[in-house]
Short mmCIF file of all heavy atoms in Angstrom, two decimals:
data_model
loop_
_atom_site.label_atom_id
_atom_site.label_comp_id
_atom_site.label_asym_id
_atom_site.label_seq_id
_atom_site.Cartn_x
_atom_site.Cartn_y
_atom_site.Cartn_z
N SER A 24 109.04 107.73 115.76
CA SER A 24 110.38 107.84 115.17
C SER A 24 110.33 108.78 113.98
O SER A 24 109.29 108.93 113.34
CB SER A 24 110.86 106.46 114.72
OG SER A 24 112.11 106.53 114.06
N ASN A 25 111.46 109.42 113.67
CA ASN A 25 111.49 110.41 112.59
C ASN A 25 112.55 110.11 111.54
O ASN A 25 113.11 111.03 110.94
CB ASN A 25 111.71 111.81 113.17
CG ASN A 25 110.57 112.25 114.06
OD1 ASN A 25 109.41 112.06 113.72
ND2 ASN A 25 110.89 112.81 115.21
N SER A 26 112.83 108.84 111.32
CA SER A 26 113.85 108.49 110.34
C SER A 26 113.57 107.13 109.73
O SER A 26 112.76 106.36 110.23
CB SER A 26 115.25 108.50 110.98
OG SER A 26 115.31 107.55 112.02
N ILE A 27 114.26 106.86 108.61
CA ILE A 27 114.24 105.57 107.94
C ILE A 27 115.66 105.04 107.95
O ILE A 27 116.60 105.74 107.55
CB ILE A 27 113.75 105.69 106.49
CG1 ILE A 27 112.34 106.28 106.45
CG2 ILE A 27 113.77 104.33 105.79
CD1 ILE A 27 111.89 106.66 105.05
N LEU A 28 115.82 103.82 108.41
CA LEU A 28 117.13 103.18 108.43
C LEU A 28 117.30 102.38 107.13
O LEU A 28 116.39 101.65 106.73
CB LEU A 28 117.24 102.25 109.62
CG LEU A 28 118.62 101.73 110.00
CD1 LEU A 28 119.49 102.87 110.50
CD2 LEU A 28 118.51 100.64 111.06
N VAL A 29 118.46 102.53 106.48
CA VAL A 29 118.75 101.81 105.25
C VAL A 29 119.93 100.89 105.50
O VAL A 29 120.96 101.31 106.03
CB VAL A 29 119.09 102.78 104.09
CG1 VAL A 29 119.21 102.01 102.78
CG2 VAL A 29 118.03 103.88 103.97
N THR A 30 119.79 99.62 105.11
CA THR A 30 120.90 98.68 105.23
C THR A 30 121.12 97.99 103.89
O THR A 30 120.28 98.05 102.99
CB THR A 30 120.61 97.58 106.29
OG1 THR A 30 119.75 96.57 105.73
CG2 THR A 30 119.99 98.16 107.53
N ASN A 31 122.27 97.34 103.76
CA ASN A 31 122.50 96.50 102.59
C ASN A 31 121.99 95.09 102.89
O ASN A 31 121.43 94.82 103.97
CB ASN A 31 123.98 96.49 102.19
CG ASN A 31 124.89 95.99 103.31
OD1 ASN A 31 124.47 95.24 104.19
ND2 ASN A 31 126.15 96.41 103.26
N PHE A 32 122.17 94.17 101.96
CA PHE A 32 121.64 92.82 102.13
C PHE A 32 122.42 91.99 103.14
O PHE A 32 122.03 90.87 103.46
CB PHE A 32 121.58 92.11 100.77
CG PHE A 32 120.27 92.29 100.05
CD1 PHE A 32 119.44 93.37 100.34
CD2 PHE A 32 119.85 91.39 99.09
CE1 PHE A 32 118.23 93.54 99.69
CE2 PHE A 32 118.64 91.55 98.42
CZ PHE A 32 117.84 92.63 98.73
N SER A 33 123.51 92.55 103.65
CA SER A 33 124.25 91.89 104.73
C SER A 33 123.82 92.40 106.09
O SER A 33 124.33 91.93 107.12
CB SER A 33 125.76 92.10 104.55
OG SER A 33 126.21 91.50 103.34
N GLY A 34 122.91 93.37 106.11
CA GLY A 34 122.43 93.92 107.36
C GLY A 34 123.23 95.09 107.88
O GLY A 34 122.97 95.58 108.99
N GLN A 35 124.20 95.59 107.11
CA GLN A 35 125.01 96.73 107.55
C GLN A 35 124.30 98.03 107.22
O GLN A 35 123.81 98.23 106.11
CB GLN A 35 126.38 96.70 106.86
CG GLN A 35 127.19 95.46 107.18
CD GLN A 35 128.40 95.33 106.27
OE1 GLN A 35 128.32 95.57 105.06
NE2 GLN A 35 129.52 94.94 106.86
N VAL A 36 124.25 98.94 108.20
CA VAL A 36 123.59 100.23 107.99
C VAL A 36 124.40 101.07 107.01
O VAL A 36 125.60 101.26 107.18
CB VAL A 36 123.43 100.98 109.32
CG1 VAL A 36 122.83 102.37 109.08
CG2 VAL A 36 122.55 100.18 110.27
N THR A 37 123.73 101.57 105.97
CA THR A 37 124.40 102.39 104.97
C THR A 37 123.97 103.85 105.02
O THR A 37 124.70 104.73 104.58
CB THR A 37 124.12 101.84 103.55
OG1 THR A 37 122.71 101.79 103.33
CG2 THR A 37 124.71 100.44 103.40
N LYS A 38 122.77 104.12 105.57
CA LYS A 38 122.30 105.50 105.64
C LYS A 38 121.12 105.59 106.59
O LYS A 38 120.36 104.63 106.74
CB LYS A 38 121.89 106.01 104.25
CG LYS A 38 121.55 107.51 104.21
CD LYS A 38 121.24 107.96 102.79
CE LYS A 38 120.86 109.44 102.72
NZ LYS A 38 121.96 110.32 103.15
N THR A 39 120.96 106.77 107.18
CA THR A 39 119.75 107.11 107.92
C THR A 39 119.11 108.31 107.24
O THR A 39 119.76 109.34 107.06
CB THR A 39 120.06 107.44 109.38
OG1 THR A 39 120.65 106.29 110.01
CG2 THR A 39 118.79 107.81 110.13
N ILE A 40 117.87 108.16 106.82
CA ILE A 40 117.15 109.26 106.16
C ILE A 40 116.32 109.97 107.23
O ILE A 40 115.35 109.41 107.75
CB ILE A 40 116.24 108.73 105.03
CG1 ILE A 40 117.04 107.87 104.05
CG2 ILE A 40 115.58 109.90 104.29
CD1 ILE A 40 116.19 107.18 103.02
N ASP A 41 116.71 111.18 107.59
CA ASP A 41 116.06 111.91 108.67
C ASP A 41 114.89 112.75 108.16
O ASP A 41 114.61 112.82 106.96
CB ASP A 41 117.08 112.80 109.39
CG ASP A 41 118.09 111.99 110.18
OD1 ASP A 41 117.69 110.96 110.76
OD2 ASP A 41 119.27 112.39 110.21
N ASN A 42 114.22 113.38 109.10
CA ASN A 42 113.07 114.26 108.83
C ASN A 42 111.91 113.51 108.18
O ASN A 42 111.15 114.08 107.40
CB ASN A 42 113.48 115.45 107.96
CG ASN A 42 112.44 116.56 107.97
OD1 ASN A 42 111.77 116.79 108.98
ND2 ASN A 42 112.27 117.23 106.85
N GLN A 43 111.78 112.24 108.51
CA GLN A 43 110.65 111.44 108.05
C GLN A 43 109.72 111.25 109.25
O GLN A 43 109.82 110.29 109.98
CB GLN A 43 111.13 110.11 107.47
CG GLN A 43 112.09 110.27 106.31
CD GLN A 43 111.46 111.01 105.14
OE1 GLN A 43 110.40 110.63 104.64
NE2 GLN A 43 112.11 112.07 104.68
N LEU A 44 108.82 112.19 109.44
CA LEU A 44 108.09 112.36 110.69
C LEU A 44 107.09 111.24 110.94
O LEU A 44 106.05 111.16 110.31
CB LEU A 44 107.38 113.72 110.66
CG LEU A 44 108.27 114.91 110.28
CD1 LEU A 44 107.46 116.19 110.22
CD2 LEU A 44 109.44 115.04 111.24
N GLY A 45 107.43 110.37 111.88
CA GLY A 45 106.57 109.23 112.17
C GLY A 45 106.52 108.20 111.07
O GLY A 45 105.49 107.53 110.89
N ALA A 46 107.62 108.05 110.33
CA ALA A 46 107.66 107.09 109.21
C ALA A 46 107.22 105.71 109.70
O ALA A 46 107.77 105.17 110.65
CB ALA A 46 109.06 107.04 108.63
N THR A 47 106.23 105.16 109.02
CA THR A 47 105.71 103.84 109.40
C THR A 47 105.60 102.96 108.17
O THR A 47 106.48 102.17 107.87
CB THR A 47 104.35 103.98 110.12
OG1 THR A 47 104.49 104.87 111.22
CG2 THR A 47 103.89 102.63 110.67
N GLY A 48 104.51 103.09 107.40
CA GLY A 48 104.32 102.23 106.24
C GLY A 48 105.26 102.57 105.11
O GLY A 48 105.59 103.73 104.86
N LEU A 49 105.72 101.53 104.39
CA LEU A 49 106.62 101.67 103.24
C LEU A 49 106.07 100.88 102.07
O LEU A 49 105.50 99.81 102.23
CB LEU A 49 108.01 101.14 103.58
CG LEU A 49 108.78 101.82 104.72
CD1 LEU A 49 110.02 101.02 105.07
CD2 LEU A 49 109.16 103.24 104.33
N GLU A 50 106.28 101.42 100.86
CA GLU A 50 105.90 100.70 99.65
C GLU A 50 106.79 101.17 98.51
O GLU A 50 107.05 102.36 98.36
CB GLU A 50 104.43 100.96 99.31
CG GLU A 50 103.89 100.12 98.17
CD GLU A 50 103.86 98.64 98.51
OE1 GLU A 50 103.07 98.22 99.37
OE2 GLU A 50 104.66 97.90 97.88
#
Side-chain angles (χ1 to χ4, degrees):
S24 176
N25 296 317
S26 61
I27 301 170
L28 194 67
V29 187
T30 79
N31 59 25
F32 269 22
S33 297
Q35 299 169 319
V36 176
T37 57
K38 187 176 178 63
T39 299
I40 306 172
D41 290 323
N42 196 34
Q43 301 299 306
L44 310 177
T47 305
L49 298 170
E50 188 65 68

